[in-house]
């Protein structure tokens, strides 16, 4: 379970470095996809979407404007840091497809292709290991008494997860540097 938590934290930390770089390096917001803004304000936007009472909707819109107005422009740099905890909301399952979807928040839609180029024939083995890790974590969390791993299996899984993290870090950082700004 710890290994899965470390993978999740690694991906979130990589995103946080990217978010910090966007603000610190005064990257123009014109380069970002519109979905990026949704993920900054996802919590309050979803509350607005799920509220029917006009008075409650209005209060939530006021809260959105008060808390997030500085983020909602499509040009110029961000005037304040982007809150990573809010941007990361909803990402808690570090399966391969979820990681791919998380990187798409930044506009990185070529992740699968780039990861394939990086890992080549190892791609299926490594991505299956990531998905297997998440599956094992879920089974353990739900009390499956038959789900166990030997120290050797944990070591092999750790090696594969490390390969995935190295490749993910490399392709994301490279894409981010070419598209938005350097994060290294």
């Amino acid at each position: 379970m710890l290994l899965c938590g470390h993978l999740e934290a690694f991906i979130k930390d990589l995103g946080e470095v990217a978010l910090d770089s966007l603000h610190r390096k005064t990257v123009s917001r014109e380069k970002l996809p519109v979905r990026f803004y949704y993920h900054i304000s996802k919590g309050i936007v979803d509350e607005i979407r799920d509220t029917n009472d006009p008075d409650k909707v209005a209060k939530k819109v006021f809260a959105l404007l008060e808390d997030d107005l500085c983020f909602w422009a499509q040009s110029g740099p961000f005037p304040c840091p982007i809150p990573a905890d809010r941007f990361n909301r909803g990402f808690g399952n570090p399966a391969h497809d979820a990681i791919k979807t998380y990187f798409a928040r930044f506009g990185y839609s070529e992740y699968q292709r780039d990861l394939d180029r990086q890992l080549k024939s190892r791609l299926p083995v490594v991505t299956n290991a990531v998905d297997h890790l998440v599956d094992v974590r879920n089974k353990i969390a739900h009390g499956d008494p038959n789900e166990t791993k030997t120290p050797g299996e944990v070591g092999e899984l750790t090696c594969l997860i490390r390969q995935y993290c190295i490749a993910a870090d490399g392709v994301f950082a490279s894409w981010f540097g070419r598209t938005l700004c350097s994060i290294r």
Side-chain angles (χ1 to χ4, degrees):
M1 288 186 66
L2 289 175
L3 182 57
C4 194
H6 286 297
L7 174 59
E8 178 186 334
F10 175 79
I11 297 299
K12 285 180 175 178
D13 286 349
L14 185 56
E16 187 171 338
V17 167
L19 294 172
D20 289 344
S21 294
L22 289 173
H23 176 253
R24 192 171 21 84
K25 295 185 178 184
T26 62
V27 174
S28 177
R29 291 178 268 190
E30 295 162 342
K31 296 180 176 185
L32 295 165
V34 293
R35 78 176 67 120
F36 184 87
Y37 300 93
Y38 166 74
H39 288 287
I40 294 173
S41 302
K42 181 181 184 338
I44 190 73
V45 169
D46 288 352
E47 286 179 21
I48 292 167
R49 182 189 64 216
D50 296 338
T51 303
N52 293 323
D53 181 291
D55 290 335
K56 290 179 181 175
V57 169
K59 287 178 183 178
K60 291 179 187 303
V61 170
F62 284 130
L64 172 70
L65 294 172
E66 184 176 321
D67 295 343
D68 291 5
L69 186 60
C70 70
F71 302 115
W72 284 85
Q74 291 185 289
S75 62
F78 286 98
C80 51
I82 303 159
D85 60 326
R86 289 170 43 194
F87 187 86
N88 288 338
R89 182 175 287 147
F91 175 73
N93 171 5
H96 173 63
D97 282 344
I99 293 169
K100 187 169 39 174
T101 300
Y102 175 74
F103 287 149
R105 293 177 181 191
F106 293 93
Y108 187 24
S109 58
E110 303 86 16
Y111 176 66
Q112 181 68 39
R113 183 200 69 202
D114 293 347
L115 200 62
D116 185 33
R117 287 182 180 160
Q118 180 76 23
L119 291 170
K120 299 181 171 86
S121 66
R122 302 278 304 145
L123 179 72
V125 173
V126 172
T127 56
N128 285 339
V130 168
D131 291 340
H132 178 67
L133 174 69
V134 172
D135 185 51
V136 167
R137 186 227 18 214
N138 290 341
K139 287 178 179 176
I140 291 170
H142 290 102
D144 186 339
N146 298 320
E147 194 55 56
T148 60
K149 293 287 178 205
T150 67
E153 290 170 328
V154 171
E156 185 178 320
L157 196 53
T158 301
C159 181
L160 292 169
I161 300 304
R162 184 176 289 123
Q163 289 176 33
Y164 184 88
C165 289
I166 290 168
D169 180 77
V171 298
F172 180 75
S174 179
W175 171 84
F176 206 85
R178 284 190 320 271
T179 309
L180 298 162
C181 68
S182 171
I183 61 173
R184 300 274 184 266

